């Protein structure tokens, strides 16, 4: 282990400090339903984020800015519509902003111990000597990141399910860590209400949007 990492709850995590999202290793993606039947995927090509890793990891914070006009769904006409006042209105609201408000670790029992315990305690099986239950260990690579997302000047709370990918020093001497995150939100909560009713029932564009984020952060200084 180097000074770039430390051990916390049995995991190697980044040392305290300021980290920035690596532009070359990120994806700020989303998925929404089209015609009630098929997923349409897209992403925001331009985004920045600063992550402050605290001495107590659960007191760490993140602030992110997404350039609304960088939306890309691989369809020029659709992207133009998404940038318009019907949706993101990028001329009046050029950015989307996210600010964290808290982090909670999710502990769970390692599945290998659960199956070992089940094997030794099958239904109807009796042992002369009762064996002690096998030990368990917490798995804390998953977290809930609470925060506030601002879209078109409207701010709402959004919780992200975060999976920590690990921390290390890369071949270029940079201290990095990786992560992925997902969340779901109702776009209408942010004034993105444009839609078309379908004759067969339902709407053209789904109201629920799933956020899918993956990236690496690099230590600054």
């Amino acid at each position: 282990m180097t000074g770039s990492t430390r051990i916390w709850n049995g995991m190697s995590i980044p040392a305290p400090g300021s980290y920035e999202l690596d532009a070359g290793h990120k994806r700020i993606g989303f998925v929404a339903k089209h015609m009630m039947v098929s997923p349409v995927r897209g992403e925001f090509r331009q985004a920045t984020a600063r992550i402050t890793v605290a001495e107590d990891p659960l007191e760490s914070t993140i602030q992110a800015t997404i350039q609304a006009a960088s939306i890309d769904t691989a369809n020029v006409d659709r992207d133009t519509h998404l940038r318009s006042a019907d949706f993101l209105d990028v001329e009046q609201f050029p950015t989307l902003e996210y600010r964290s408000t808290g982090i909670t670790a999710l502990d769970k029992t390692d599945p290998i111990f659960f199956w070992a315990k089940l094997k030794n305690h099958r239904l109807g099986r009796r042992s002369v000597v009762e064996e002690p239950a096998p030990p368990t260990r917490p798995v804390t690579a998953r977290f809930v990141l609470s925060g506030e997302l601002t879209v078109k000047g409207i701010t709402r709370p959004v919780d992200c399910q975060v999976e920590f990918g690990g921390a290390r020093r890369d071949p270029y001497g940079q201290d990095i860590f990786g992560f992925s995150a997902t969340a779901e939100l109702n776009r209408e909560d942010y004034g993105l209400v444009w839609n078309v009713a379908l004759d067969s029932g339902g709407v053209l564009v789904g109201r629920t949007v799933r956020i899918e984020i993956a990236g690496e952060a690099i230590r600054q200084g």
Side-chain angles (χ1 to χ4, degrees):
M1 184 183 74
T2 71
S4 64
T5 61
R6 52 190 168 140
I7 299 301
W8 179 79
N9 279 12
M11 274 193 309
S12 179
I13 67 169
S18 179
Y19 296 75
E20 288 189 359
L21 185 65
D22 182 4
H25 297 90
K26 67 165 177 56
R27 183 177 187 276
I28 314 297
F30 60 88
V31 185
K33 277 287 184 71
H34 177 250
M35 296 287 290
M36 307 294 292
V37 295
S38 63
V40 172
R41 294 182 180 274
E43 65 179 292
F44 291 93
R45 297 287 186 178
Q46 298 176 17
T48 59
R50 178 173 291 271
I51 303 166
T52 302
V53 176
E55 191 68 40
D56 178 352
L58 299 182
E59 293 182 0
S60 301
T61 60
I62 178 172
Q63 289 186 301
T65 298
I66 299 168
Q67 300 301 317
S70 71
I71 193 168
D72 184 356
T73 65
N75 183 292
V76 173
D77 291 339
R78 180 168 55 217
D79 292 345
T80 298
H81 191 196
L82 290 172
R83 295 184 185 109
S84 75
D86 283 342
F87 286 96
L88 293 174
D89 195 0
V90 300
E91 291 189 6
Q92 186 174 352
F93 303 98
T95 63
L96 294 75
E97 307 284 340
Y98 184 81
R99 180 183 67 88
S100 67
T101 57
I103 303 176
T104 304
L106 298 179
D107 291 349
K108 65 178 181 179
T109 300
D110 191 322
I112 192 171
F113 292 122
F114 170 79
W115 289 112
K117 182 177 181 180
L118 186 64
K119 181 179 179 181
N120 290 327
H121 295 82
R122 291 176 181 169
L123 185 65
R125 177 176 176 176
R126 294 181 179 273
S127 301
V128 176
V129 178
E130 193 71 27
E131 297 181 1
T136 61
R137 64 177 177 85
V139 175
T140 53
R142 295 175 61 247
F143 303 84
V144 174
L145 177 68
S146 300
E148 296 178 337
L149 176 66
T150 301
V151 181
K152 294 182 71 172
I154 299 173
T155 301
R156 296 280 187 267
V158 172
D159 286 349
C160 296
Q161 304 291 319
V162 178
E163 184 169 347
F164 174 66
R168 63 176 56 213
R169 180 162 290 171
D170 72 12
Y172 307 101
Q174 300 178 113
D175 298 331
I176 66 170
F177 68 90
F179 61 91
S180 59
T182 60
E184 287 193 351
L185 56 86
N186 185 335
R187 62 184 179 86
E188 293 186 349
D189 290 343
Y190 297 91
L192 309 178
V193 298
W194 185 92
N195 227 324
V196 175
L198 303 175
D199 292 340
S200 57
V203 291
L204 182 67
V205 183
R207 296 182 178 90
T208 299
V209 178
R210 178 178 172 83
I211 309 299
E212 299 176 339
I213 300 171
E216 292 179 7
I218 304 175
R219 184 180 176 91
Q220 304 301 296

